[in-house]
Amino acid sequence: MNTTATATAAPGEPAVLDLTEWTCPAPLRDQPRVVMGHGGGGALSAELVQHVFAPGYGGDVLAQLTDSAVVSLGGARLAFSTDSYVVRPLFFPGGCIGDLAVNGTVNDLAMSGARAAYLSCGFILEEGVEVSVVARVANALGAAARAAGVEVATGDTKVVDAGHGDGIFINTAGIGLVPAGVDLRPQRVVPGDVVIVSGAIGAHGVAIMSVREGLEFGVEIESDCAALGGLVETMLAVTPDLHVLRDPTRGGLAAALNEIATASGAGVVLQERDIPVPPAVANACAILGLDPMYVANEGKLVAFVPREHAEAVLDSMRAHPLGSEAAVIGEAVEAHPGMVVARTGLGGTRVVDLPIGEQLPRIC
């Protein structure tokens, strides 16, 4: 906190602090203007959606507030999603903004159980960005789409004045078919469900921060950016009765679990020592004062699975390249409804709350 305020007082009167110049790095909840925290995937983001966008748009489908909407059209169940990507820097260890633009939207569709079929792609370019950089991003985007088995079917390009953008922004929207019998939504979570994470967390956010700030941790940390459609298909082949899937991007694992707990009304208990965190990420977070549970991922998912199917689903995940480090990290419970808690290695319990803003800005 900036404590440059001054104390003034009349003779014989107690001093009064002038707080008008004080500032606090933590965003306040009552904000008359948009701040960076509104885009961080935490409480400020949720409030912006719930109190501004949802009332403005209306509609029962939007009220689902899931990563992708599931709609019926012509007798088919379709998942439909859109996302915008404003990452800085454009290129980072393990990927670039083009990879993110494909994998992020493919993963949102996969969290509804859908295999992505088609994407739209909109580029917003800042005047002055090198055409060779745009081509490099476009080629990476195309390669990621082919690897994910999805086609970029339509697109758009806009250019903004120099100083009014950040090189390249990308928006992608996607559609995919939801298989019969698949119903993935947080309202299906029940006490006793097993919570599984597909692998080690935190690599993407730390990779972005290390490049952006020129930090070195003794080993290069690469983003986990990947398309999860194949992993989800593997899981659904074991049983279509998965209850909910979520990819923990902005706000990390903590935000994803809090969103599920709030929407389902169930409590969640985590075993903190069972949550896989790469040593390099753990060390970097310790240096930076970050909690890995709040750091973004771009190639991981968290699943709530009925207990009777949990072992078979876990085995299938571990047999897939993107789930080889999958682990059971907790369960849904009746106690403390809507709240996520973690049992620490020392035997204590701490609340894992929804972040207000964000620890790492501009990571997706």
Side-chain angles (χ1 to χ4, degrees), residues 110 113-116 148 177 179 228-240 242 245 301 316 320:
R115 170 177 275 280
L177 284 171
L228 297 170
L231 176 61
V232 172
E233 287 185 3
T234 296
M235 297 165 67
L236 291 173
V238 174
T239 174
L242 305 178
L245 301 177
L301 63 82
S316 73
H320 191 280

Side-chain angles (χ1 to χ4, degrees), residues 92-348:
F92 47 83
C96 72
I97 190 173
D99 301 299
L100 282 180
V102 170
N103 295 338
T105 296
V106 166
N107 292 348
D108 283 346
L109 297 173
M111 297 308 103
S112 293
R115 170 177 275 280
Y118 298 102
L119 296 180
S120 70
C121 181
F123 271 68
I124 300 174
L125 307 176
E126 182 183 16
E127 182 184 22
V129 67
E130 296 180 2
V131 173
S132 61
V133 172
V134 179
R136 185 179 170 191
V137 170
N139 288 335
L141 191 151
R146 289 187 291 273
V150 64
E151 182 177 351
V152 179
T154 187
D156 180 56
T157 305
K158 293 292 187 293
V159 177
V160 298
D161 294 336
H164 290 264
D166 199 4
I168 299 174
F169 296 157
I170 301 177
N171 173 273
T172 49
I175 57 172
L177 284 171
V178 180
V182 173
D183 183 16
L184 298 172
R185 48 193 174 88
Q187 291 78 12
R188 296 196 63 219
V189 171
V190 296
D193 280 358
V194 174
V195 182
I196 302 174
V197 68
S198 64
I201 63 170
H204 177 72
V206 174
I208 296 296
M209 179 57 73
S210 64
V211 176
R212 180 186 301 160
E213 303 299 335
L215 302 175
E216 295 185 3
F217 302 108
V219 61
E220 185 176 68
I221 300 174
E222 291 193 355
S223 169
D224 61 348
C225 184
L228 297 170
L231 176 61
V232 172
E233 287 185 3
T234 296
M235 297 165 67
L236 291 173
V238 174
T239 174
D241 190 30
L242 305 178
H243 284 171
V244 67
L245 301 177
R246 190 64 57 91
D247 57 334
T249 52
R250 295 179 301 169
L253 181 63
L257 291 173
N258 271 278
E259 291 168 1
I260 293 170
T262 299
S264 67
V268 178
V269 175
L270 305 176
Q271 300 297 331
E272 195 167 54
R273 66 174 60 188
D274 293 335
I275 299 172
V277 180
V281 170
N283 293 337
C285 286
I287 293 171
L288 298 171
L290 304 176
D291 184 338
M293 288 186 64
Y294 292 90
V295 178
N297 313 271
E298 287 292 345
K300 299 295 184 294
L301 63 82
V302 60
F304 282 65
V305 181
R307 186 168 296 277
E308 63 268 24
H309 301 306
E311 185 175 351
V313 170
L314 182 63
D315 288 343
S316 73
M317 295 173 72
R318 288 174 171 170
H320 191 280
L322 295 179
S324 59
E325 297 179 302
V328 173
I329 61 171
E331 63 179 335
V333 297
E334 292 184 6
H336 49 78
M339 182 182 295
V340 181
V341 303
R343 291 177 179 158
T344 68
L346 298 177

